[in-house]
Every structure is written in structure tokens, then in C-alpha cells.
Amino acid sequence: MYRKETDKYNVRIVGLLTILSALILVGSLFIGTERLRYSKMQETLAEQVLRFHVIANSDSEKDQQLKLQVKEAVVDYFLKNMPENMEIQEAKDWVREHVDTVEEIAKEVLREKGINTSVHGAVITCYFSDRQINGIVFPAGNYETLRLEIGKAKGHNWWCVLYPKFGFMDAVNPQENVTVNSNFKIKWYIWEKLKR
């Protein structure tokens, strides 16, 4: 009698372990599939955008304000001078050709405030964590970006999407939770495809 109950108990344990193993396997497959889909979405999006990233010298209130003033001057320059209707590669090339001008604009803003510090700009590939703007998820991953570093570049940053031309101007300063908003909204064909 004792042996029959032990056998029943063992069968139940084996059954539960089998079910648990199957659930783990199905969960792993699902997670793997979602990660692959998320990765493909990030790669596709990264091919279609150029980001703009300004990093403050430090997290001091003064340096954070300077960062925003530099950002305003550079954004103004792009709004007035960046040609319309470019393809992504044309936009990247145009921005690369104007990096020296962007650096000089940033330095001029700083000089007007009595600050003589270095500014370094370049179009490079940077890793960004997950971000969401206007309901669009920018998955974590590598994106080409116009990166503008002020001084030691040890402070919090500001970013937006530069191409499509200021398609998403919402940007969050993580330290201050300051949000800059724009009414300009855009729907992308690519996002409609990815959602299906």
C-alpha cells in the first residue's frame, strides 16, 4: 500500500515537472521570438533615423541650462538650413558636412555666456536605451547620431530625432524630467508595417 502511494506521488511529481518544463520551453521560445522581433524592429528603425544628442559638461544647473541653450541654437540652425525631402543617407552626409558649423554655433553660445570650453561634434553610432516618444518606441540599440559633447561631457543629455527632419521633437532630460514638446507628428510607413 505504501509503495502504491509512493508510486502515485512520483508519477504526480514527474507529471508536474513535465508540465513545468513544457511551460519553461514554451516561455523561452516566446521570449526568444519576441527578442528577435524587437531586435529586427530596432535594426529597421535605426536604418531610417538620425538622432541628435547633446551632452552637458556636468549636471550642475548652469551646465544643464547651457546644454539647452546650445541645443536651441543648433536646432534653429538645422530648421533654417537643412534641405527638405532628403533621403536618410543624404541627410547623414549633409549633417557630416556641417559638423564644424554646428561646433562653432555651440562654441559661440558658450562664449556669449563667458564660457570657454571645448565642443566636439561627430556623426557616430551610439548605444541608446529604450525610449518612447509620441507613442513610438525606440528600442534599445545602436543608432547613428549627431553627438555634440560640451566640455567633459559628464552631464545628462538631451536628444531628439534629427531625421526625418525633426519628426519627433519631444525630448526628456532624465535628471530634471524636463520635456520639450512640438505639435509636429508623423506616421511612418515602416511603423505601420511593423505593427502588422
Side-chain angles (χ1 to χ4, degrees):
M1 175 103 173
Y2 176 75
R3 183 176 180 131
K4 282 185 179 182
E5 285 188 24
T6 302
D7 288 343
K8 284 182 186 180
Y9 177 77
N10 287 340
V11 167
R12 285 183 185 159
I13 293 294
V14 168
L16 286 174
L17 289 175
T18 302
I19 291 169
L20 184 60
S21 297
L23 288 173
I24 290 171
L25 178 62
V26 168
S28 297
L29 290 173
F30 176 76
I31 289 170
T33 302
E34 283 302 300
R35 281 188 183 155
L36 181 61
R37 189 176 73 82
Y38 199 68
S39 174
K40 290 290 185 193
M41 183 172 67
Q42 186 277 325
E43 289 171 12
T44 302
L45 180 59
E47 292 172 359
Q48 302 297 318
V49 300
L50 175 63
R51 293 169 76 147
F52 175 40
H53 192 206
V54 183
I55 306 174
N57 180 56
S58 75
D59 282 335
S60 74
E61 186 175 332
K62 180 180 179 182
D63 283 343
Q64 289 296 310
Q65 286 303 314
L66 286 170
K67 169 195 74 180
L68 294 175
Q69 291 167 0
V70 164
K71 177 267 301 183
E72 288 296 329
V74 173
V75 165
D76 186 56
Y77 171 76
F78 281 121
L79 285 171
K80 290 177 181 173
N81 296 285
M82 192 171 177
E84 298 285 335
N85 302 319
M86 290 188 293
E87 296 295 323
I88 182 66
Q89 192 55 52
E90 293 172 309
K92 289 176 183 177
D93 292 343
W94 189 90
V95 170
R96 280 187 182 95
E97 291 169 10
H98 293 84
V99 168
D100 290 344
T101 303
V102 169
E103 285 179 348
E104 192 51 44
I105 290 167
K107 287 176 187 175
E108 181 60 31
V109 169
L110 297 173
R111 279 193 296 266
E112 287 174 4
K113 302 297 179 185
I115 308 294
N116 186 18
T117 191
S118 64
V119 175
H120 177 72
V123 177
I124 61 173
T125 301
C126 295
Y127 178 83
F128 289 89
S129 58
D130 287 336
R131 290 286 186 263
Q132 183 172 346
I133 296 178
N134 287 342
I136 301 291
V137 175
F138 286 79
N142 293 313
Y143 293 86
E144 277 194 86
T145 207
L146 169 58
R147 184 176 172 125
L148 196 58
E149 297 177 346
I150 303 171
K152 295 177 183 175
K154 299 287 186 187
H156 280 88
N157 66 82
W158 178 94
W159 75 273
C160 74
V161 173
L162 183 58
Y163 179 90
K165 191 173 181 182
F166 301 101
F168 298 96
M169 284 297 296
D170 288 5
V172 176
N173 179 324
Q175 180 188 18
E176 302 169 6
N177 263 349
V178 174
T179 303
V180 180
N181 292 307
S182 168
N183 293 326
F184 188 93
K185 294 188 180 177
I186 180 173
K187 279 194 174 182
W188 286 347
Y189 171 78
I190 191 169
W191 279 106
E192 297 303 318
K193 286 288 201 188
L194 286 172
K195 285 196 268 185
R196 291 182 189 151

